[in-house]
Amino acid sequence: MSILGNRVVRVEDPRFLTTGGTYVEDLVLEGAVWLTYVRSTIAHAHIESIDTSDAVAMPGVLAVFTGEDLAELGTAPHLLPVFPDGMRRPFVARDVVRYVGQPVVAVIAESRALGIDAAEQVVVDYDPLTPVVDPEAAARDEVLLFPDVGTNTVTRFESESTADFDDCEVVVELRIVNQRMTGAPIEPRSGAAYWTEEGRLVHYSACQGAHPTRDLLAEVYGLDRTEVRVVVPDMGGGFGAKSRTYPEEVALGFYARAVGRPVRWTESRTENMMAMPHGRGQIQRSRMGGTRDGRITAYELDVVQDAGAFPLMGAFLPMMTQRMLNGVYDITNVGYRSVSVATNTVSTTAFRGAGRPEAAVAVERTLDRFAAEIGMDPAEVRRRNMIPRFTEPYTTGIGTVYDVGDYPEALRRALEAVGYDKLREEQAERRQAGDHLLLGIGIGVYVEITAGGPSSEYGAVELGPGGRVEVRSGSTPYGQGHDTTWAMIVADRTGVPMDHVDVVHGDTDLVPSGGLTVGSRSVQLGGSAIADATTKLVNAARQRAADLLEAAVDDVVLDAETGRFHVVGTPATAVDWATIAEGPGPALVEVSDFAAAMPTFPFGAHVAVVEVDVDTGRCRLERIVAVDDAGTLINPLLAEGQVHGGLAQGIAQALLEEIRYDADGNPLTTNFADYLVIGATELPSFEVDHLETPTWVNELGAKGVGESGTVGSIPAVYNAVIDALSHLGVKHLETPLHPERVWRAAQGVG
Ligand code: MCN
C-alpha cells in the first residue's frame, strides 16, 4: 500500500517542538556586527541634509553610511524589465524619500542596542513634497513620484476585447477594495553576510528562495554565481512577502565588505509592519450583466493596483487577476483593464493568493450583487453559469486554459455539508422574529492558478551508506512541511523508510539550482522533480541489483513495500538498498529538472455562516465549510494544515486586517495593537473536505494547495456579511467588515 495519501505527521515537528529551529538570528557568526537603519519619517520629501556626526562619534559604532556612500551599488534591479527604469529603488535613499520607512542612513554597530541608540542620534532634514497615497489619485498623475519618468503608471494589462452590455436586461456595478494586508510572519525579515578570504560572499537569509537571492546578489555585486553562497536556515513564515530579498538586506554584503566583519540584520516588528512590502492594494470596478432568469452574459473589471513607491511583484499581480477573471463561470463576453501606479507608500508584493483572491472576490461578490438584483438565490445563479465538469483543457472567456475541474460538484458538496436550505429557513425565521442577531450565508466558489510563474524545479536523490537516501530540493520551505512531503514521495517509490530519507534544501552550495516557493508550486514542480529523480534511481538500482543477483535486469523488480529487489517470482533471494549502496561502482545519484507543460488550477467551494449583531455591528464567523480540490493529495494532513492557514488569512481580510495610511502617507498600523492579526478566538473550527480531481499536468496528479484557503474564504465571508444585512437594504460594503462599518450600514448612518 502506498504511503501517499496518508495523514503522516510532520517529520520536522519533533525538532521544532523540542530543541527548536535555527533561524538566521540564531546563527553564531564570530565577530558579527549589527546593521540598523534610520528610516524616513515622512512619505515624500527632499533630503536637505543628513548629520551623522554624533552617531559616528559613539563608541562601538563602526560606520555610518548614507545613500551617497552606497552609490557604487547603483539601484536595486527591477523584478521585471517592463517597469520604468527611472523607478528603480536605491539601496539607501538619495536626494528624495518616497515612503515612510524608506532607509535613509545605515548604522553598523557592535550590538543591536548600540545601533538603535546611534540611529537615534542621526539628524535628517527634510523638505516635504506633496505626497500621493491614494492609488486612484496617483493614476491621475497630478503628483508625480518620479518626475523624470513623467507618470506614476508602472504598467498596464488589458484584454484584447471589451465586454458588450447592450443586450443585458440587468447590469450591476460595484467598487471593491482589496485592502492592503501584511503577511505578519512570526519571523520578520532577517539576514547576515560576510566575505570569505577567497572573496566569496556568504549570505544567510530568511527568504522564500535561496537561488533567486543568490542570482540577485551576483547581479548587484558583479560576481559570478559560484562566488555567492546563500543559505536559508529554518524560517518563520513568509506568505509571499519574502519572495524577494529587498535592498535593505541585499546591501549587507556592502556593509560587511566596508567594515571587514560579518554584518547581521533583523528588523523589528514595527519595521516589518511599516517597511516589509504589503499585499493586495487593488481597487476594482466590476460590471456584470445578464438576463432576469439568471444567465450572466457580460462581465468586466477595471483595476487600479497600488504598486507602492518602487514597483515590485505587486505591480505585476493584476496580470494574475486578469488570468483568473472568469472564475468558475462560462462567460465569453468579458473585458479587463488594469493600471498599476506608484504611490508614497511601501511597495506591494505577493501575499497568499497574489492576484487570484482579487479575481475571486470580484466575480463572486459581483455575482451575489447580480443575484440580489434579480431576486434569485445566489447558489442557483452560480449553478446556472458554471463551467460544467471537464477533464480536457478548457479555455475561458478571458483566454486562460484550465486543466481539469468539477466546480458543480464542489459547490454541491459544500452546500450539502453546511445544510444550505435549512440555514436559509433559519435566516428567514430570525428576520421574521426581528432577532438582533442576523444570520448571513455566503458562498465563494473559486478556481485559482498554481505554478503560474516559472514552470520548472530541481530535484535530486542520492543513495548513501546504509541505504539512506538524500534528497536535494530546489524548493525552499518556510512552514509547508516539505521534508515530510519529499520523504513520502521517496519512500513510496523506493520502499526506503521515511526516517532513512534526509532532505537538503536552502543552500546554494549543496543544491545547484532552484526557484521560489511561491504560487503553491512546490509539490507539483519540486515534488514531481523528486518523484522523477527517484524513479530514475530505482532504475539505476535495478541494474545494480541485477548484477548482484546475476539476473537479467528486465527480470528484476523492486518490492516497494519492503524496499528489496528480487527476480520476478523468487522474492526469497533479494538485495536491499543498503547492499546496493555498497556498490560496486560510484554512488547512485539521479537528477531531474522537472518542467510542467502548464500551470494547474485548484478549485473549491467555501460556504460561510456569520452572525451579525445589528446593535453593535459585530460579525461572528459561526461556521466555514471548505471543499477544496488540489488534485491528488500527497499528505491530506499537511494539505489541511495549509487550508487552515489560508482560511485564517482569508477570513482576516474579510473581517479584520487592514494596513492603513493617513492622507499624508503616515502608516497607522505599525504593530499588533493597530493591525488586528486574526487569532483563534475569532475563528470557528474549520469544516474541511477535499475533492481529488487529479491533474494530467504532472505524474503525481497534484495541484497546489498552499493558497487555496485564502482564495475561497474571502468572498465566502464577505458575501455572508452582506447577505446578513441585505434585507435592510444593504447592497455592498468595503472590507474589512469591522463592527463600525457594519453597524453604520445596519443602522443606515453614513
Ligand atoms: N500538499 C499535498 N498535496 C498536494 C499539494 C500540497 O499534500 N497536491 C501539501 C504538501 O504537504 C506540501 C504543502 O501541501 O508540503 C504545500 O504545498 P504547495 O501547495 O505545493 O505549496 P508550496 O509548498 O509551494 O508553498 C507555497 C505556499 C504559498 S505561495 C504561501 S504564500 C504560503 C503557503 O504555501 N505561505 C506559508 N503556506 C504557508 N505555510 C506556512 N506555515 N507559512 C507560510 O508563510
Side-chain angles (χ1 to χ4, degrees):
M1 199 191 90
S2 170
I3 194 169
L4 301 187
N6 285 292
R7 302 174 70 85
V8 177
V9 294
R10 300 196 339 160
V11 300
E12 294 89 340
D13 286 348
R15 187 166 61 83
F16 284 137
L17 297 174
T18 55
T19 55
T22 304
Y23 301 87
V24 173
E25 178 95 6
D26 299 322
L27 297 167
V28 178
L29 293 170
E30 197 151 337
V33 290
W34 285 90
L35 161 66
T36 307
Y37 281 111
V38 176
R39 294 180 178 276
S40 174
T41 52
I42 189 158
H44 199 193
H46 269 293
I47 301 173
E48 292 290 290
S49 66
I50 302 176
D51 182 353
T52 61
S53 52
D54 286 352
V56 171
M58 282 174 68
V61 171
L62 281 82
V64 179
F65 301 102
T66 66
E68 298 303 319
D69 301 321
L70 276 84
E72 68 181 70
L73 281 190
T75 46
H78 267 330
L79 188 71
L80 295 174
V82 294
F83 297 164
D85 211 45
M87 293 187 181
R88 283 168 58 144
R89 180 177 150 183
F91 289 87
V92 169
R94 292 176 71 183
D95 306 325
V96 177
V97 287
R98 294 187 175 83
Y99 66 92
V100 171
Q102 187 174 354
V104 179
V105 171
V107 176
I108 312 295
E110 290 285 356
S111 75
R112 190 205 315 247
L114 204 57
I116 294 170
D117 286 349
E120 282 175 6
Q121 300 306 315
V122 173
V123 180
V124 186
D125 241 3
Y126 297 105
D127 185 14
L129 295 164
T130 308
V132 58
V133 179
D134 170 9
E136 290 177 307
R140 294 195 289 273
D141 279 342
E142 286 154 8
V143 174
L144 294 178
L145 266 80
F146 303 91
D148 291 349
V149 178
T151 175
N152 292 323
T153 296
V154 177
T155 187
R156 292 176 188 275
F157 300 102
E158 283 181 10
S159 57
E160 278 168 19
S161 55
T162 53
D164 176 359
F165 289 81
D166 284 356
D167 294 334
C168 295
E169 290 169 15
V170 178
V171 177
V172 294
E173 293 184 2
L174 290 182
R175 179 177 188 274
I176 299 168
V177 178
N178 294 262
Q179 76 271 17
R180 269 182 184 244
M181 302 278 292
T182 182
I186 293 175
E187 182 192 24
R189 290 178 298 171
S190 187
Y194 65 90
W195 296 85
T196 66
E197 278 173 14
E198 299 77 42
R200 282 189 94 207
L201 174 61
V202 179
H203 188 114
Y204 295 91
S205 181
C207 69
Q208 290 179 216
H211 298 85
T213 295
R214 176 197 63 182
D215 298 351
L216 178 64
L217 292 172
E219 186 180 347
V220 168
Y221 290 100
L223 299 169
D224 190 84
R225 288 176 184 181
T226 56
E227 295 173 299
V228 183
R229 179 184 189 185
V230 172
V231 181
V232 181
D234 291 322
M235 188 171 149
F239 304 110
K242 293 184 190 163
S243 56
R244 183 80 166 168
T245 300
Y246 301 110
E248 282 111 310
E249 185 186 331
V250 170
L252 280 168
F254 172 89
Y255 308 127
R257 186 153 56 193
V259 299
R261 307 257 295 263
V263 178
R264 64 196 317 160
W265 171 69
T266 301
E267 65 184 347
S268 69
R269 178 59 60 190
T270 294
E271 284 180 293
N272 178 265
M273 304 287 288
M274 182 172 67
M276 182 180 77
H278 297 147
R280 313 277 190 260
Q282 190 182 102
I283 300 172
Q284 306 167 325
R285 284 179 194 279
S286 65
R287 207 162 174 231
M288 189 177 272
T291 61
R292 290 214 167 268
D293 63 359
R295 179 76 195 131
I296 300 165
T297 56
Y299 175 51
E300 70 177 13
L301 195 61
D302 267 287
V303 160
V304 178
Q305 171 68 48
D306 187 350
F310 300 95
L312 280 169
M313 180 64 90
F316 169 75
L317 291 178
M319 168 53 115
M320 299 306 268
T321 308
Q322 174 173 351
R323 289 173 85 177
M324 298 318 300
L325 180 91
N326 270 84
V328 298
Y329 303 108
D330 174 19
I331 316 169
T332 48
N333 177 24
V334 293
Y336 181 86
R337 280 173 300 275
S338 76
V339 59
S340 300
V341 294
T343 61
N344 290 113
T345 60
V346 73
S347 308
T348 55
T349 187
F351 169 55
R352 211 165 192 164
R356 296 99 82 198
E358 291 88 327
V361 168
V363 72
E364 289 298 282
R365 185 64 218 110
T366 314
L367 183 146
D368 256 37
R369 182 76 265 289
F370 177 78
E373 196 62 28
I374 61 171
M376 191 177 282
D377 186 293
E380 183 55 28
V381 176
R382 284 178 171 81
R383 280 191 286 261
R384 289 188 186 192
N385 292 282
M386 246 176 209
I387 299 165
R389 179 174 184 275
F390 60 100
T391 51
E392 305 268 310
Y394 174 94
T395 306
T396 66
I398 200 70
T400 303
V401 181
Y402 294 171
D403 55 346
V404 287
D406 192 352
Y407 314 134
E409 176 60 11
L411 178 61
R412 190 195 65 73
R413 278 228 215 171
L415 293 178
E416 188 182 292
V418 84
Y420 187 71
D421 296 338
K422 266 194 90 62
L423 283 167
R424 285 276 173 227
E425 282 168 25
E426 187 184 338
Q427 179 183 49
E429 282 162 19
R430 286 204 202 185
R431 285 178 179 177
Q432 193 102 45
D435 196 331
H436 76 111
L437 292 175
L438 306 173
L439 198 66
I441 309 138
I443 302 170
V445 189
Y446 74 91
V447 52
E448 66 130 338
I449 178 171
T450 57
S455 60
S456 70
E457 188 52 274
Y458 175 90
V461 285
E462 178 168 349
L463 182 62
R468 294 188 77 85
V469 176
E470 181 175 279
V471 175
R472 293 191 283 274
S473 165
S475 307
T476 300
Y478 42 95
Q480 293 87 354
H482 287 179
D483 290 15
T484 309
T485 313
W486 305 159
M488 286 174 74
I489 291 172
V490 171
D492 171 59
R493 292 184 178 222
T494 58
V496 170
M498 278 180 70
D499 59 5
H500 281 51
V501 180
D502 305 302
V503 180
V504 174
H505 48 66
D507 186 334
T508 59
D509 272 11
L510 303 180
V511 183
S513 71
L516 286 169
T517 298
V518 294
S520 301
R521 65 195 289 279
S522 300
V523 168
Q524 60 194 292
L525 300 178
S528 293
I530 290 159
D532 186 31
T534 307
T535 300
K536 291 186 201 165
L537 185 76
V538 170
N539 287 334
R542 248 177 89 220
Q543 179 63 61
R544 201 171 267 185
D547 296 344
L548 293 170
L549 292 165
E550 296 178 352
V553 68
D554 289 344
D555 294 338
V556 174
V557 289
L558 168 67
D559 179 346
E561 295 285 314
T562 60
R564 292 159 71 87
F565 292 87
H566 61 84
V567 173
V568 189
T570 52
T573 311
V575 289
D576 61 11
W577 285 97
T579 312
I580 287 169
E582 284 165 16
L588 296 182
V589 187
E590 295 293 342
V591 173
S592 172
D593 278 299
F594 176 82
M598 62 176 275
T600 61
F601 293 82
F603 61 89
H606 293 188
V607 184
V609 182
V610 298
E611 212 169 56
V612 177
D613 188 330
V614 77
D615 295 332
T616 64
R618 182 174 183 223
C619 299
R620 257 180 69 95
L621 180 64
E622 293 292 315
R623 293 176 64 194
I624 183 142
V625 170
V627 177
D628 298 290
D629 189 320
T632 308
L633 294 181
I634 306 298
N635 185 333
L637 181 71
L638 272 66
E640 261 174 39
Q642 288 294 311
V643 170
H644 282 202
L647 287 174
Q649 289 187 304
I651 295 162
Q653 182 175 333
L655 296 179
L656 279 177
E657 296 183 25
E658 178 180 31
I659 288 282
R660 293 174 77 168
Y661 286 89
D662 71 12
D664 295 325
N666 296 306
L668 303 176
T669 41
T670 57
N671 55 52
F672 288 156
D674 303 326
Y675 185 88
L676 304 179
V677 168
I678 203 157
T681 46
E682 286 97 16
L683 295 165
S685 250
F686 301 137
E687 300 169 55
V688 297
D689 187 12
H690 298 290
L691 286 179
E692 286 189 72
T693 312
T695 180
W696 42 263
V697 175
N698 59 69
E699 198 204 321
L700 294 172
K703 311 170 210 167
V705 77
E707 296 157 285
S708 303
T710 311
V711 187
S713 61
I714 307 169
V717 178
Y718 195 168
N719 281 334
V721 176
I722 308 297
D723 178 64
L725 301 169
S726 58
H727 65 300
L728 303 174
V730 177
K731 294 180 175 170
H732 187 62
L733 291 172
E734 286 176 10
T735 51
L737 294 156
H738 52 68
E740 182 184 345
R741 186 169 269 158
V742 170
W743 180 83
R744 283 181 183 281
Q747 303 295 326
V749 284

